[in-house]
Amino acid sequence: MSDAYDPQNIFAKILRGELPAFKVYEDDRALAFLDIMPRCPGHTLVIPKAPSRNILDIDPDDLAYVAKIAQKVARAGKAVFKADGVTVQQFSEPAGGQVVFHLHVHVIPRHEGEPMKPAASFKEDMAVLAQHAEMLKAALAS
Ligand code: 5GP
């Protein structure tokens, strides 16, 4: 399997506006949007705008910038969902658990004693995602 960046990946299509997403934050270098199969409410993905497959090929400055935005999203998610903590994950290559090949950082608000759902186990209702996106967007704009 090639480890070259594929511009037809789902997140590249979201970045180009070819597919919809529940966006919560955007600037010239990064985009954050809700995962449509959240492992917990508020599960957000932060991606760089520059094309990169994963942690193995991303420019270190882009990685640092994504981390900065992931921190903003983590703080907003903790406040909005009244969470007790936050899980941050990044998977690289199929062996590392990666399924979509544009670098993304998962930011998942967590509540004490509540396990995460298995990955890709349930597609959240669109109305719920829309409401969660509005709440996070408002928190990230303030
Ligand atoms: P990975 O295992 O590559 O780190 O995770 C990919 C993530 O993308 C999964 O959590 C999955 O639920 C999410 N995902 C897959 N397809 C879509 C989509 O079309 N839109 C959004 N927003 N998330 C997606």
Side-chain angles (χ1 to χ4, degrees):
M1 183 179 155
S2 164
D3 60 1
Y5 181 78
D6 174 9
Q8 295 311 318
N9 74 74
I10 300 169
F11 296 165
K13 289 183 180 179
I14 287 174
L15 277 174
R16 290 195 296 268
E18 295 166 11
L19 286 176
F22 292 99
K23 296 181 182 181
V24 301
Y25 177 87
E26 182 164 20
D27 65 25
D28 59 335
R29 296 182 68 183
L31 173 68
F33 54 96
L34 294 184
D35 194 307
I36 50 167
M37 292 176 272
R39 300 190 66 182
C40 289
H43 182 168
T44 301
L45 303 171
V46 183
I47 68 173
K49 288 200 167 175
S52 66
R53 183 173 161 93
N54 55 43
I55 201 164
L56 301 169
D57 68 340
I58 190 170
D59 179 286
D61 290 338
D62 287 332
L63 180 61
Y65 194 74
V66 166
K68 184 174 163 173
I69 303 307
Q71 185 188 39
K72 277 184 195 291
V73 171
R75 287 173 171 166
K78 184 172 182 295
V80 164
F81 293 94
K82 300 182 174 37
D84 302 306
V86 182
T87 295
V88 175
Q89 296 177 315
Q90 197 287 313
F91 303 132
S92 290
E93 296 302 323
Q98 187 174 16
V99 174
V100 178
F101 296 97
H102 181 109
L103 181 133
H104 50 281
V105 172
H106 298 257
V107 180
I108 307 170
R110 300 296 306 277
H111 291 89
E112 206 65 61
E114 285 184 22
M116 292 196 292
K117 292 185 175 66
S121 60
F122 120 105
K123 202 164 178 182
E124 183 58 278
D125 187 88
M126 293 291 124
V128 171
L129 290 175
Q131 188 197 20
H132 289 176
E134 279 315 308
M135 288 155 63
L136 276 170
K137 204 168 156 181
L140 284 159
S142 60

